[in-house]
Amino acid sequence: MTTASVKKTSYNWRVVDIVVAALIAIAGGVIFWAWSQGAAIVSIPMNATYPPLTGLIAGGWMIPAVLGMLIIRKPGAALFCEAVAATGELIMGSQYGTTVLISGILQGLGAELVFAAFRYRKFDLSAALLAGAGSGLFCGLNDSFLPWGWNIAYEAIDKLAYIAFTTLSGAIIAGALSWVATRGLAKTGVLSSFASRKAASEPVFN
């Protein structure tokens, strides 16, 4: 069997991949719901100071995308986990209504495209940061320019500031924290069935 065929075979989803991805997504849905409740409170002083600052707390809604991919390491993991997590938030009663599904898909896609650019072979801190940033970028664009975006009425400069903040938030909260969480989980041995089982000993930058 050639090296190429081995790599291709490794991209096939197994039952355990689907189950764990679903669990990450379900947990993500709970995180989304809780984050939304907290964000509603924290955003009050931010809006009073400078509304685009609310982009700094957006990263919490992107964790499933980056975490799911860092653990599963299969094409589609980021998009799947983020979309299902968004569905979970909607079911639990999201204040954002059905638009949360669109947000979830776009945010998952933002992270997915970054890992795809690395051909699903790079999962170090730099990849996690870029994936989180990609998710944050798509979040900011969605909120600022699509018809249902909640800050579509912002001035152009404020939209750019908001997008910059969501991108930064995605990189730090979703990217860095998911990378740290993956290494921590790997140390416990619970990722023994995945390629990420050695995450704790992998180079920080590869």
Side-chain angles (χ1 to χ4, degrees):
M1 182 178 292
T2 65
T3 302
S5 64
V6 171
K7 290 183 179 296
K8 183 176 181 180
T9 300
S10 69
Y11 288 161
N12 292 333
W13 281 62
R14 305 164 298 168
V15 173
V16 67
D17 296 326
I18 298 173
V19 171
V20 171
L23 289 175
I24 293 172
I26 292 171
V30 176
I31 292 174
F32 282 1
W33 181 85
W35 197 271
S36 294
Q37 310 313 304
I41 298 174
V42 176
S43 64
I44 295 176
M46 288 182 165
N47 274 312
T49 303
Y50 180 51
L53 284 173
T54 56
L56 290 173
I57 59 177
W61 285 292
M62 307 164 205
I63 291 175
V66 183
L67 182 62
M69 181 60 80
L70 291 178
I71 291 176
I72 306 299
R73 301 190 177 185
K74 301 285 179 69
L79 183 56
F80 175 86
C81 289
E82 189 74 9
V84 176
T87 302
E89 181 187 4
L90 177 62
I91 292 174
M92 286 184 286
S94 171
Q95 60 185 343
Y96 304 107
T98 56
T99 61
V100 71
L101 295 178
I102 300 174
S103 296
I105 292 173
L106 291 176
Q107 289 164 191
L109 182 60
E112 187 77 36
L113 289 174
V114 171
F115 287 112
F118 289 123
R119 300 176 66 184
Y120 300 101
R121 296 178 183 176
K122 188 177 180 69
F123 302 96
D124 63 358
L125 179 57
S126 64
L129 290 173
L130 287 172
S135 187
L137 174 62
F138 276 44
C139 169
L141 292 173
N142 173 49
D143 291 342
S144 301
F145 295 107
L146 295 186
W148 47 81
W150 68 271
N151 59 5
I152 194 170
Y154 279 7
E155 295 293 332
I157 187 64
D158 293 333
K159 286 183 178 181
L160 289 176
Y162 177 79
I163 293 170
F165 289 144
T166 58
T167 300
L168 177 62
S169 180
I172 296 176
I173 298 178
L177 291 186
S178 292
W179 180 81
V180 170
T182 300
R183 288 174 74 92
L185 288 171
K187 288 180 180 179
T188 69
V190 298
L191 303 182
S192 59
S193 299
F194 303 92
S196 55
R197 61 184 175 277
K198 298 180 180 180
S201 60
E202 291 175 344
V204 176
F205 296 105
N206 186 13

